[in-house]
Amino acid sequence: MTRRPLTVFRLVATVMSLAMFTGACAQPPSPPRLTGPARQIDRDTSLVIDGETIADARTYGAARKQGAFTLYSAYSASSEEAVIKQFTEDSGIKVDLVRLTANRMFERITAEHHAGRLQADVVRISDPGFVGKLNAQGVFQPYRPPTATHLLSGVEFAGGRYYRTFNPAYTFGYNSALVDEDEAPRSWRDLTTERWRGKLGIAQAGAGGSALALTRFQRDRLGDTFLRAYARNDVRIFDSIGAELDGLARGEVSVGTVAISGVNVARTRNAPIRFVVPEDGFAVYDFYTAMARTASHKEAASVFLNWTLSRRGQKVMTDLGEYSVRSDLPPPTVMGMRLPELSSPRVYRARPGEATMFAARDQAAWNALFGYNE
């Protein structure tokens, strides 16, 4: 009578141990690849991708000899790394990345430029105010990529000195390990309810073009009454959108503002984050790319700019979750959800002049509403 329970116990223990051992030894599933390889690449002399000439023989030959260039970028680190990986696979040219938030990048470029020691070959930055000031300082040189075709209006600026090269979407998301899908908020105004008190996050308005674009959308579409209610809901303020995404993934907040592409990249690291396309809309903001006037690897930089505005480069951006600046590509489809057209009333994009005009007052209003001191 006493042997059978012991035998059963040992059998169960053995099975459990085997399961634990098998689980420990099993390889984790490969993360989904966000961007697919090009269908066809010809690098014999010139660089031709999917039938489109990215760089002629002279430019590509010089670029290959240079081997690499330096990119100063305020784009999300994980997203930029994904872009660089795909560019290098396509072209064979390496990228030395210097990455900072937009405000810190602006300060660094300004300081290096005035000291005559700017190391960047290419600059990538959000915020029309920042890029406009850098252009006025003479940081950029004019360059017209031969691939700059089928572009939407308002892509080229200052005679080709800089270009709007993609538009990230800024909305809110939630930690799916903490919030069930059927209980997740569906609109911005849902976030002002008692249900989310003490569980919210937001990036401070001065973090860069993304945060200011969101503030402009919220003040224009939702009003300061909404922002005041959001601020009163015991919200946690993060220094940057990247820091907020990390906090959301760790469960420091349950719901927070996110870039859709950031969520898309985070899922390759098994982060339990989902984004929402709210009923009351979301913001998109401009990211600009330019060649530095003092670029020492001009041909390699040219290949990157050509690739960036090519159909191939823009397809990589939509795969990541960004809106393309070309008219011959559809809106991004992210995690099985196709985003609205860029022209949709649900998509709010402040024009550069409007964004610049409101930037200082929007940041001051946001700081006052949230009681934030930089």
Side-chain angles (χ1 to χ4, degrees), residues 48 121 146 313 318:
V48 182
D121 295 300
T318 61

Side-chain angles (χ1 to χ4, degrees), residues 104-233:
R104 299 291 179 249
M105 182 59 73
F106 173 75
E107 292 168 357
R108 175 166 177 165
I109 293 172
T110 298
E112 288 187 3
H113 173 70
H114 286 308
R117 298 197 308 269
L118 181 60
Q119 301 299 307
D121 295 300
V122 176
V123 171
R124 176 120 76 195
I125 195 167
S126 61
D127 192 296
F130 288 157
V131 75
K133 289 176 182 177
L134 291 176
N135 181 61
Q137 293 172 20
V139 172
F140 309 138
Q141 63 174 293
Y143 179 73
R144 283 193 169 87
T147 54
T149 60
H150 302 283
L151 299 183
L152 301 174
S153 62
V155 170
E156 180 182 322
F157 293 87
R161 283 178 171 81
Y162 61 97
Y163 293 82
R164 180 178 118 228
T165 45
F166 56 92
N167 284 87
Y170 202 178
T171 180
F172 65 84
Y174 61 93
N175 184 309
S176 58
L178 302 176
V179 181
D180 292 335
E181 184 177 359
D182 57 356
E183 296 179 349
R186 297 301 170 196
S187 72
W188 289 99
R189 298 190 189 281
D190 287 347
L191 304 183
T192 63
T193 64
E194 186 67 23
R195 165 77 173 82
W196 304 109
R197 178 173 294 277
K199 301 175 181 179
L200 298 171
I202 196 169
Q204 58 99 359
S210 58
L212 280 173
L214 181 65
T215 303
R216 178 90 300 266
F217 158 74
Q218 290 173 330
R219 297 194 73 201
D220 191 21
R221 288 279 183 89
L222 306 175
D224 285 359
T225 301
F226 161 79
L227 274 176
R228 190 173 293 110
Y230 193 101
R232 287 175 178 171
N233 227 3

Side-chain angles (χ1 to χ4, degrees), residues 122 125 129 149 164 221 242 252 261 266 274 279 335 357 373:
V122 176
I125 195 167
T149 60
R164 180 178 118 228
R221 288 279 183 89
E252 296 171 9
S261 57
R274 299 291 182 269
E279 301 163 357
M335 298 166 67
M357 178 175 64
N373 295 315

Side-chain angles (χ1 to χ4, degrees), residues 188-311:
W188 289 99
R189 298 190 189 281
D190 287 347
L191 304 183
T192 63
T193 64
E194 186 67 23
R195 165 77 173 82
W196 304 109
R197 178 173 294 277
K199 301 175 181 179
L200 298 171
I202 196 169
Q204 58 99 359
S210 58
L212 280 173
L214 181 65
T215 303
R216 178 90 300 266
F217 158 74
Q218 290 173 330
R219 297 194 73 201
D220 191 21
R221 288 279 183 89
L222 306 175
D224 285 359
T225 301
F226 161 79
L227 274 176
R228 190 173 293 110
Y230 193 101
R232 287 175 178 171
N233 227 3
D234 192 19
V235 61
R236 176 170 176 175
I237 300 172
F238 291 84
D239 287 338
S240 68
I241 188 173
E244 183 182 4
L245 185 67
D246 291 342
L248 185 60
R250 289 192 295 263
E252 296 171 9
V253 293
S254 298
V255 179
T257 52
V258 295
I260 289 177
S261 57
V263 174
N264 198 24
V265 174
R267 76 184 173 107
T268 67
R269 302 171 182 174
N270 297 316
I273 306 175
R274 299 291 182 269
F275 67 89
V276 176
V277 178
E279 301 163 357
D280 34 10
F282 59 91
V284 299
Y285 57 100
D286 297 347
F287 244 101
Y288 305 92
T289 309
M291 187 184 299
R293 182 174 57 82
T294 54
S296 57
H297 304 88
K298 185 173 181 179
E299 285 76 18
S302 298
V303 174
F304 181 73
L305 285 167
N306 296 355
W307 181 88
T308 296
L309 285 175
S310 72
R311 198 174 194 282

Side-chain angles (χ1 to χ4, degrees), residues 50-114:
D50 295 339
E52 182 179 16
T53 299
I54 307 300
D56 60 26
R58 186 202 65 79
T59 301
Y60 189 49
R64 293 171 91 171
K65 288 180 180 178
Q66 292 166 356
F69 70 94
T70 299
L71 171 64
Y72 276 25
S73 178
Y75 190 32
S76 163
S78 56
S79 298
E80 190 69 90
E81 287 164 4
V83 173
I84 289 171
K85 181 177 185 294
Q86 194 60 70
F87 169 75
T88 299
E89 286 183 9
D90 284 2
S91 67
I93 297 170
K94 296 180 180 180
V95 182
D96 297 322
L97 175 64
V98 175
R99 197 270 163 192
L100 293 169
T101 59
N103 51 348
R104 299 291 179 249
M105 182 59 73
F106 173 75
E107 292 168 357
R108 175 166 177 165
I109 293 172
T110 298
E112 288 187 3
H113 173 70
H114 286 308

